[in-house]
Structures are given as C-alpha cells and as structure tokens.
Amino acid sequence: EAGVTQFPSHSVIEKGQTVTLRCDPISGHDNLYWYRRVMGKEIKFLLHFVKESKQDESGMPNNRFLAERTGGTYSTLKVQPAELEDSGVYFCASSPGQGTDTQYFGPGTRLTVL
Amino acid sequence: AQSVTQPDIHITVSEGASLELRCNYSYGATPYLFWYVQSPGQGLQLLLKYFSGDTLVQGIKGFEAEFKRSQSSFNLRKPSVHWSDAAEYFCAVSPHSGGYNKLIFGAGTRLAVHP
C-alpha cells in the first residue's frame, strides 16, 4: 500500500511568487491534514479536510493560503503571494476515519522563500 | 490553550545506553498522547499512543512511554539505544474534540547516537 506522498519535495521561490503544494493521501482515507514546521519551531496544524469539506481551518495563517481537496482525493495548498515567513516544511497527513485513528504523514515539502 | 513542551532540544547518547525523552503537556481534559519519530528524508512515523487504560504503553522499535497524570508527563524510554535510533522525536497531544484528531506538537528532540 502506497503511503502519503507530497510534491514537490523541495521548492525555492522568490518573495511575491505563487507556489502550489500537492498531497496525495493513502487511498480511502477520508481525513486529510496539513501541518507546517517553521525552522526551529514546533509542527503546527493548518487545516483538516473530511473528504472534500474543510472541517477545521483554524490554523491557516492568513488569506494568502488556500487549500482545496478536489473530489475528496488529493489536496493542494497554494500560497499566493509568498512571503519570507512562509518558509518551512509543509507536512500532509491522512487517516481513515474519525477520532482515534492514527495519522500517517508524508515526507513533507520544504519551501524556501527568498 | 493546549501546549506540549519538550525541554531537551538535543540529546546525545552512546549506543547501548538507555534513553529517556521528556514530554510535558498542558491540557484541561484527559488527553490523547502520541510520540512520533522523523528520520532524515522520511515522514513522521508513529511510535506509540496513549488514549486510556494502562499508563505504560509499548510501541514499535522497542520504545515505551509512561503517562503520569499527576506530572502531566508522557516520557519516552528505550532501555538500549541503537545507532539507527538517531532521529528527531516529537511528542504530540490531541484535543480530540468532536471526534477529530488535530495534533499539537512539541518542538522536537533531536537524538544523536555515538558508536
């Protein structure tokens, strides 16, 4: 069974540009989470999808971030325009159901904004 | 607000030595608690979790953790460390409100293992 995959693994962009990160969850997993780790800090929750619906987006930093989950399958996280403080590692995780299900994490996308 | 503290940013141990990684949490209700590990180039892998019941939890790779409510702690232990255990370890809490499992992480502890 394939794990959670994320693309790209690394992205380097200029301030003001747009970047789109993609996450493919484990097949059949209804829950999809985005997290972010800024350099030296803790991993922080961004948002949570249940199928194609946003269940909780309380961690999204501002309206420059837009997350979508088309048809309840893969998800994209777009940053437009990117700022220096957006640099960090963006993790995606998925889980099959509710409550106590284990979250399976992808390897992350390292975003550097210059 | 819920928070997780991992007091040790870096720890170095010799191979074969015992290990304890500390984790303290701040949460009003009974928490769900987790330890994850991230090896270089890999995603986070779940080592173990505590929801209820026996406060000593066994995980993968020979790790265990003990939940101590009186100390708000969930320390991770391993009796004999292997060189392959070198990685970054994250403690996490889940508020598990509404049946969903948003994770709140500590800042991580990076473990180095000397041969």
Side-chain angles (χ1 to χ4, degrees), chain A residues 35-82:
Chain A
Y35 295 86
R36 177 174 74 170
R37 188 183 192 196
V38 172
M39 180 70 73
K41 299 289 185 65
E42 64 273 17
I43 300 168
K44 287 198 170 180
F45 167 83
L46 295 179
L47 86 159
H48 168 212
F49 284 98
V50 178
K51 297 183 180 179
E52 69 276 8
S53 300
K54 292 176 185 174
Q55 178 70 28
D56 180 354
E57 51 184 331
S58 61
M60 294 288 266
N62 51 61
N63 59 9
R64 295 185 294 102
F65 288 75
L66 175 63
E68 295 180 322
R69 190 179 183 193
T70 306
T73 56
Y74 71 91
S75 175
T76 58
L77 180 64
K78 180 189 288 188
V79 186
Q80 180 182 29

Side-chain angles (χ1 to χ4, degrees), chain B residues 40-108:
Chain B
Q42 305 294 314
L44 281 75
Q45 181 183 23
L46 181 68
L47 285 175
L48 47 77
K49 59 188 178 184
Y50 172 80
F51 294 150
S52 65
D54 191 345
T55 57
L56 185 62
V57 181
Q58 301 298 318
I60 62 171
K61 305 185 179 187
F63 285 93
E64 66 177 27
E66 186 171 11
F67 169 55
K68 293 186 178 180
R69 187 187 305 274
S70 61
Q71 298 176 21
S72 297
S73 70
F74 189 57
N75 293 349
L76 182 72
R77 301 192 294 248
K78 187 169 184 177
S80 177
V81 171
H82 187 263
W83 63 267
S84 60
D85 293 323
E88 192 161 18
Y89 293 79
F90 297 92
C91 181
V93 169
S94 169
H96 60 86
S97 60
Y100 296 101
N101 202 10
K102 175 173 74 175
L103 296 174
I104 298 168
F105 286 89

Side-chain angles (χ1 to χ4, degrees), chain B residues 21-37:
Chain B
L21 302 183
R22 295 182 290 166
C23 172
N24 292 92
Y25 64 89
S26 171
Y27 186 60
T30 302
Y32 291 172
L33 294 157
F34 306 81
W35 275 98
Y36 280 85
V37 61

Side-chain angles (χ1 to χ4, degrees), chain A residues 9-35:
Chain A
S9 57
H10 293 85
S11 180
V12 180
I13 61 173
E14 299 281 336
K15 175 183 172 181
Q17 290 185 321
T18 297
V19 63
T20 300
L21 313 180
R22 173 170 170 145
C23 169
D24 286 80
I26 293 172
S27 178
H29 281 194
D30 287 342
N31 293 282
L32 188 148
Y33 303 81
W34 283 98
Y35 295 86

